[in-house]
Amino acid sequence: MIIFLQNNNLNSLIPELRQHGAYSPHLSGVNYKHMYYNITNTTSSSTDKTQIKTELQQYGIKEGILKLDIVHKVCNLFPKNIKIKTLSFVKINPNKKIDKHVDNKKNRSTVLSIPLTPNFSKYKPVTFYDFETNWIDLPFLMPTEKLHSVDNNEYTRVNFQIGFEYSIDTMNNYYKNGQLFL
């Protein structure tokens, strides 16, 4: 299940996220680094080139918090009892593929994904193998503990992602009960 989020405070921050996360020379975008994901044990590395490759600027609990005001603004939308485990700007280059995998359940059981580029009509969504989704132009919660992949199209794809250790059902309950955002 994918949960599309309607939240005015979150939506108001998306233009500023786009400004920082967009891979464009005229914007103040972040510097991306290569990361390689091992789909067998759900680990990541910046050096193991035999694994699935993507580019991201990732900051989580161990790495420290990304030093951008916009990231703090987004994080401050959540109550303190909802623990954020990872923060990332994730870029997938045109025509690149992220093979089938599941994410680390401890840090990314559910991910809030905010598509930044390209615009929605050109955005290539995630493919899940346990269910189908009718995609709409909103930030969404996705169960990354379920098998998924991305087979990107001809556009650079950038998302801002927040990882949580909670199941998609738990996050859905928070959202339905008005407890996900302050």
Side-chain angles (χ1 to χ4, degrees):
M1 128 174 70
I2 300 292
I3 303 162
F4 294 98
L5 302 176
Q6 295 273 11
N7 181 276
N8 291 335
N9 293 329
L10 178 62
N11 290 342
S12 71
L13 297 175
I14 292 173
E16 192 174 348
L17 279 169
R18 282 193 175 112
Q19 189 175 27
H20 286 286
Y23 190 70
S24 176
H26 68 281
L27 298 175
S28 61
V30 296
N31 293 318
Y32 292 90
K33 64 181 177 180
H34 297 291
M35 289 296 287
Y36 303 91
Y37 293 97
N38 183 323
I39 61 175
T40 304
N41 63 12
T42 66
T43 59
S44 63
S45 164
S46 59
T47 57
D48 187 347
K49 295 186 169 53
T50 63
Q51 299 176 3
I52 300 169
K53 177 182 169 185
T54 189
E55 290 184 86
L56 69 143
Q57 187 64 48
Q58 181 174 16
Y59 293 82
I61 300 305
K62 293 180 183 173
E63 296 86 4
I65 298 300
L66 186 58
K67 302 292 191 273
L68 288 175
D69 287 342
I70 183 59
V71 172
H72 292 284
K73 289 177 191 176
V74 173
C75 291
N76 286 333
L77 294 175
F78 298 95
K80 292 196 183 308
N81 67 309
I82 296 179
K83 303 293 184 212
I84 294 171
K85 292 294 195 167
T86 63
L87 299 166
S88 316
F89 283 95
V90 179
K91 180 181 81 164
I92 303 175
N93 285 322
N95 304 309
K96 296 297 180 183
K97 184 175 186 171
I98 304 297
D99 290 329
K100 293 179 184 179
H101 68 286
V102 296
D103 288 19
N104 179 322
K105 291 181 183 181
K106 185 170 182 172
N107 293 326
R108 290 176 50 93
S109 183
T110 299
V111 168
L112 167 60
S113 187
I114 304 171
L116 303 178
T117 62
N119 65 41
F120 181 69
S121 66
K122 297 175 182 172
Y123 179 80
K124 178 67 173 173
V126 178
T127 299
F128 281 90
Y129 297 89
D130 293 342
F131 56 87
E132 290 186 24
T133 299
N134 292 321
W135 292 94
I136 57 176
D137 190 10
L138 287 172
F140 55 92
L141 289 167
M142 62 180 174
T144 54
E145 64 186 5
K146 301 289 186 186
L147 191 64
H148 62 284
S149 66
V150 177
D151 190 2
N152 199 23
N153 56 26
E154 67 270 25
Y155 302 99
T156 298
R157 180 183 187 275
V158 178
N159 287 349
F160 180 69
Q161 296 184 352
I162 301 176
F164 303 94
E165 68 182 345
Y166 315 110
S167 71
I168 191 77
D169 292 331
T170 298
M171 296 299 284
N172 190 31
N173 285 335
Y174 281 138
Y175 182 60
K176 286 191 319 190
N177 294 324
Q179 300 169 328
L180 184 59
F181 299 104
L182 292 173

